[in-house]
Amino acid sequence: MGLPSGFTLPRGTGFAALALSDRRERTGSDELDGSGALGLGFGDAEETVGVDVILGFSSVGKGEGNEIDWDDFGDSGSASIKFARRIPAPFEGEVASVAVGVDRAGRWGDMEEADPSYYAAGTTTFSLPVNDDILLPA
C-alpha cells in the first residue's frame, strides 16, 4: 500500500480509505472503478511491538454507465501485515522506528495472481530550521 513506513498505527487506532476514478491512464478505461482499505493498529511499538493489519480492496465497483456496482465491491483484494519497534532517534527530541512487513500476504479474487511483497523500513522524524528561532514542525 504505497511507500512502507517504519511507524505503525497506535493500538486501537483504525483508518478507512476510499478512492474512486472514472479515468485510468494505464488501461485507457473511462469506466468508474476504485479501491479502498481498512486498517487497525495493535500492540505497542514503544514498549514491545506494534502491529498493523490492513485489508485492501482492489475493486470497489464498476458498472454500466459509470454507476457503482455494489455486487463488485470487495470481490478482490489483499491482506497486509506490518510489525514495528520504536528505536532511539538519530536527532535529539525526535522519534524513529523500524518495521518489517508483507503486503499482499493473503489475496482473493483478481489479486490472487499478485505476488506478496516483503519489506523492511526505517523512518525518523526531524525538524527543519526556518531561521534561528523557528523549527518546522513546531
Side-chain angles (χ1 to χ4, degrees):
M1 314 243 14
L3 181 64
S5 165
F7 293 110
T8 55
L9 293 166
R11 174 182 40 234
T13 302
F15 73 87
L18 179 65
L20 290 172
S21 176
D22 64 351
R23 183 172 176 213
R24 291 184 303 286
E25 296 293 328
R26 284 187 269 169
T27 64
S29 174
D30 60 358
E31 293 179 353
L32 185 66
D33 198 9
S35 59
L38 298 172
L40 289 173
F42 300 92
D44 184 339
E46 194 165 350
E47 296 295 323
T48 55
V49 174
V51 179
D52 283 356
V53 176
I54 299 172
L55 289 178
F57 305 97
S58 62
S59 183
V60 171
K62 56 185 172 186
E64 298 293 323
N66 275 342
E67 304 228 351
I68 294 177
D69 178 2
W70 292 106
D71 292 333
D72 187 48
F73 181 84
D75 71 346
S76 63
S78 63
S80 301
I81 190 164
K82 174 171 43 173
F83 301 92
R85 175 79 172 131
R86 290 268 300 266
I87 60 171
F91 308 107
E92 186 178 335
E94 304 294 341
V95 294
S97 185
V98 294
V100 295
V102 182
D103 283 338
R104 297 182 304 276
R107 303 163 308 280
W108 67 91
D110 295 339
M111 292 297 293
E112 286 180 353
E113 297 175 13
D115 291 329
S117 174
Y118 304 91
Y119 64 87
T123 305
T124 189
T125 62
F126 57 90
S127 298
L128 297 174
V130 175
N131 61 38
D132 290 340
D133 299 328
I134 299 174
L135 288 177
L136 292 177

